Amino acid sequence: MAVYEKAMRPEDLTRLFVERANAGDAAGIAALYEEDAVMAYPPGAQTVGRQAIRELWEKVLAARPRFEPEPPLPTLISGDIALTSTPPKDGAGARAQVVRRQPDGSWLRLLDQPEFVPTAG
C-alpha cells in the first residue's frame, strides 16, 4: 500500500487532491477521505465511502482531465471540524468540504460538495 503525504492543515487537502488527480492516482484521492465520507458527485447523486469514491475517480481520471489549483477561501475551524471552500476559476458555482481532524493531527474530508451550481429559479 502506498504511503501518502497527510494533510496537516485543512487547506492541504485541496492541494493534495490536485496533485493526485493530475498524477492519475485515484487511490491517492480516496486516501484524502474518511472511510465513510460522502461526496455529492456525480451531479444529482451521492458517492458514499472511500472505496466508492476511489472507483468513481478511477472512471473520471481515465479521461485524463487536468486540474488547476484554486485559491482557498478562509477556512472555518471549530475544534476538530473545519469547512474548506474554493471558488472555481471558471466562476461557476463554488466548492465546499467539511473536514475532520484525525487522531494523528492530520485532516480528512468527511463531506465533499465539489460543485454548487446555481439552479434556474
Side-chain angles (χ1 to χ4, degrees), residues 33-98:
Y33 291 84
E34 287 194 357
E35 201 60 48
D36 296 322
V38 177
M39 184 175 160
Y41 194 84
Q46 293 183 353
T47 301
V48 179
R50 183 181 286 159
Q51 183 59 37
I53 290 170
R54 177 183 177 160
E55 292 167 5
L56 170 79
W57 281 106
E58 286 172 349
K59 293 174 189 168
V60 171
L61 295 177
R64 305 299 295 170
R66 181 86 184 139
F67 293 84
E68 295 296 326
E70 297 169 339
L73 295 170
T75 298
L76 300 175
I77 300 175
S78 178
D80 290 336
I81 301 290
L83 175 66
T84 62
S85 56
T86 56
K89 285 190 172 192
D90 62 10
R95 306 183 204 293
Q97 298 81 33
V98 174

